[in-house]
Amino acid sequence: MLGINGPEFLLLLIIGLLVIGPSRLPEYTQKLANIVKEVRRMASGAREQIKEEVGIDIDEVDWKKYDPRQYDPRRIIKEALLEDDTKPVSSGAPAAVSTAATVAAEYRPARVVERLPEGEAAPFDSEAT
């Protein structure tokens, strides 16, 4: 009940008795009961109004479909990487075709590294930082 355990509820009840007083306590408990009934009536009225206007019952809505956590890029990438999209190949099928990445790696030119002559300082741009 609102995260209140037994001893805390008892303490609140005792404080309520001391602050309100035993003479006015029945009046305030009746007011509290009326407020709770009114809130329940309003909640049920809102549920009925949504059902009439939208045409669906709130209990029938698939809330997982509207969960924003499903659009987390890390989760999407993780699921894409863990998907097993390899299809079984029959024994008489031709060998697998190489992917574009392996073809590009085969025809990649050798990397050329240019070095400064011995003793020459590296270029420095004072406006870069």
Side-chain angles (χ1 to χ4, degrees), residues 68-129:
R69 291 176 290 188
Q70 70 179 337
Y71 301 113
D72 181 23
R74 293 173 293 190
R75 189 191 62 79
I76 293 170
I77 292 171
K78 179 181 173 185
E79 287 179 0
L81 291 174
L82 294 179
E83 273 184 6
D84 186 24
D85 54 307
T86 58
K87 298 177 184 166
V89 179
S90 64
S91 60
V97 178
S98 60
T99 63
T102 56
V103 170
E106 291 174 5
Y107 297 109
R108 185 178 301 151
R111 185 173 173 186
V112 178
V113 178
E114 294 182 24
R115 299 207 180 261
L116 293 174
E118 189 68 34
E120 184 177 333
F124 179 74
D125 185 4
S126 62
E127 296 177 5
T129 57

Side-chain angles (χ1 to χ4, degrees), residues 10-60:
L10 188 61
L11 182 66
L12 288 173
L13 190 63
I14 292 171
I15 291 173
L17 278 170
L18 293 175
V19 171
I20 296 173
S23 60
R24 294 187 300 182
L25 189 61
E27 176 186 340
Y28 281 102
T29 54
Q30 184 62 37
K31 286 182 181 180
L32 179 63
N34 289 340
I35 289 172
V36 169
K37 287 178 188 175
E38 184 68 20
V39 167
R40 284 185 181 172
R41 187 190 61 75
M42 288 172 49
S44 118
R47 179 180 291 255
E48 291 299 320
Q49 185 177 2
I50 289 173
K51 187 175 181 179
E52 288 173 9
E53 291 180 4
V54 177
I56 58 171
D57 191 15
I58 293 177
D59 297 329
E60 297 173 1

